[in-house]
Amino acid sequence: MAVAGTSLKDRFEGCLLGLAVGDALGGKFEAQSADAIRSRFPTSDRLMCYPLEEIWYTDDTQMAIAVAEALIEGGEILEEVLCRAFIANYVPSRGYGRGARAVLDAMEDGRDYRQVAEEHFPGGSFGNGAAMRVAPVGLLFRDDRTRLREQARLSALPTHRHPLGIEGAQLLALAVALCSQIERFDRVRFFAELLAACDSAEYRGKLEEASRAQRPNDLAGLGNRIEALHSVPTAIASFALTPESFESTISNVIFPRRRHRHAGGDGGGAVWRLSGSGSPPKPAGRPSGERREGAGVSPSAYRALARYLPSWARNDSRLARLARRPDSVRQRRHNTPDVA
């Protein structure tokens, strides 16, 4: 999988937008069974051409934008700066889980969000939310594994304090860093580096199983739940199966999975620019009527996400409209559906 001539800037932008596109595509099929999806879309091409309207990324991408903005402001993860970015980018309609909303509400209200997190997740959350937003950390600290590990930990702590939630973020950050550096994907080396970075026997066992996956159906045993242990290795394995194809990486986890979005977004984010898709297209403008309310995306973050699309989507105007869901009137928390 040669990527000669692909700039570092392209890889950074591709990773972040790949995350957003994968997240938004996966969100179209949230909670649908694999059999139901396959009956409607027998091939990856049919699946990718399905969206007929705007597709909206979720809270996973929204929080990744906040992490990126916090790194731009502070040069590293500073908890106060990160929490401020989480609040500034908080759009409840994105689909935050109940516990995450409670923690963000506490941040916004100036209450003790650590205590709120402990009340909702005794012993700390081991969900995959910290891993879903960690890609910017993997990009910025790609050349310093020690700092990458610590910065990934710090990026998780405001909402995820359980060791398995933190380790999931650390491993996915490392996977992103590895993918941003290579000229040709070496599957054996990729998994060897990830396995060497494991702290727990749980993740080591999952990644060993992931390294043996040879086809998409093998992903079923890795898990498809919201826990980081049962989704981060799945995302990594999906990417490793088809590192040359964004479409296949996404469909790998949509077809056999139920809670595919949590895996699909990350696998796609890691893979997109590594395929060497060439020059970016022209900017896709902000949708008419779009307004930035208090918790919206900053203009710089919006441009970073909206400017480029993967090569497979460039001639498809339906996907070229990827943008944040309009929030002309900010929805209050009690009107937002709960997400597990």
Side-chain angles (χ1 to χ4, degrees):
M1 182 190 61
V3 290
T6 303
S7 71
L8 186 59
K9 179 174 179 287
D10 276 349
R11 295 190 191 200
F12 277 37
E13 290 175 334
C15 177
L16 296 176
L17 187 51
L19 166 63
V21 173
D23 181 22
L25 282 171
K28 298 290 291 185
F29 304 98
E30 185 81 30
Q32 298 183 35
S33 72
D35 288 342
I37 296 170
R38 281 191 178 279
S39 69
R40 298 171 61 196
F41 310 105
T43 67
S44 297
D45 288 343
R46 290 277 297 276
L47 185 72
M48 293 298 169
C49 291
Y50 166 67
L52 300 176
E53 69 284 327
E54 291 181 347
I55 53 176
W56 301 304
Y57 57 74
T58 75
D59 58 304
D60 294 335
T61 300
Q62 196 74 24
M63 296 192 83
I65 292 170
V67 172
E69 291 182 338
L71 289 171
I72 290 169
E73 179 176 343
E76 61 181 353
I77 295 295
L78 303 172
E79 187 165 358
E80 180 180 352
V81 174
L82 180 60
C83 291
R84 189 166 65 244
F86 282 156
I87 294 168
N89 284 280
Y90 182 28
V91 180
S93 60
R94 290 289 183 193
Y96 295 80
R98 184 184 298 109
R101 292 202 310 274
V103 173
L104 290 168
D105 289 346
M107 288 181 185
E108 191 172 38
D109 297 340
R111 293 180 283 118
D112 186 348
Y113 58 87
R114 299 181 187 86
Q115 180 61 37
V116 172
E118 178 61 28
E119 291 171 358
H120 280 265
F121 308 106
S125 172
F126 47 81
N128 58 23
M132 300 304 98
R133 65 186 187 234
V134 80
V137 174
L139 294 172
L140 185 60
F141 299 100
R142 60 198 286 273
D143 295 320
D144 188 334
R145 301 295 168 78
T146 300
R147 285 198 78 193
L148 179 148
R149 183 178 178 82
E150 176 62 9
Q151 291 293 303
R153 185 185 73 85
L154 292 173
S155 75
L157 286 180
T159 56
H160 293 70
R161 290 182 173 268
H162 193 282
L164 292 180
I166 293 170
E167 187 174 1
Q170 291 172 321
L171 289 171
L172 198 54
L174 176 58
V176 169
L178 292 171
C179 291
S180 75
Q181 293 173 319
I182 59 177
E183 294 301 319
R184 186 175 294 274
F185 183 68
D186 183 332
R187 180 187 175 93
V188 173
R189 180 179 177 184
F190 178 68
F191 277 108
E193 296 214 36
L194 290 171
L195 285 165
C198 288
D199 287 330
S200 67
E202 291 91 338
Y203 273 106
R204 188 172 296 106
K206 283 286 188 180
L207 286 175
E208 287 173 349
E209 184 179 350
S211 71
R212 295 191 293 269
Q214 297 297 315
R215 57 189 188 279
N217 284 344
D218 294 338
L219 301 178
L222 290 171
N224 64 328
R225 304 205 302 267
I226 198 168
E227 298 93 335
L229 182 62
H230 298 291
S231 50
V232 169
T234 310
I236 291 171
S238 176
F239 161 69
L241 283 176
T242 52
E244 76 292 341
S245 172
F246 180 92
E247 307 97 301
S248 295
T249 293
I250 298 301
S251 62
N252 288 346
V253 288
I254 289 180
F255 280 140
R257 302 269 59 80
R258 182 171 183 274
R259 290 194 64 86
H260 53 277
R261 172 168 62 87
H262 300 289
D266 289 314
V271 70
W272 178 45
R273 266 301 177 183
L274 294 175
S275 65
S277 55
S279 301
K282 294 180 180 179
R286 181 185 293 270
S288 60
E290 190 84 8
R291 284 174 31 182
R292 173 176 170 82
E293 302 298 330
V297 181
S298 72
S300 61
Y302 180 89
R303 287 194 295 271
L305 287 170
R307 186 176 180 186
Y308 300 116
L309 285 172
S311 58
W312 56 266
R314 289 178 188 167
N315 297 320
D316 191 335
S317 60
R318 294 168 296 182
L319 295 186
R321 289 179 291 172
L322 172 70
R324 72 180 181 90
R325 183 196 300 262
D327 285 288
S328 57
V329 178
R330 184 177 178 184
Q331 297 185 27
R332 295 307 305 164
R333 268 82 72 182
H334 63 270
N335 290 329
T336 306
D338 287 329
V339 177

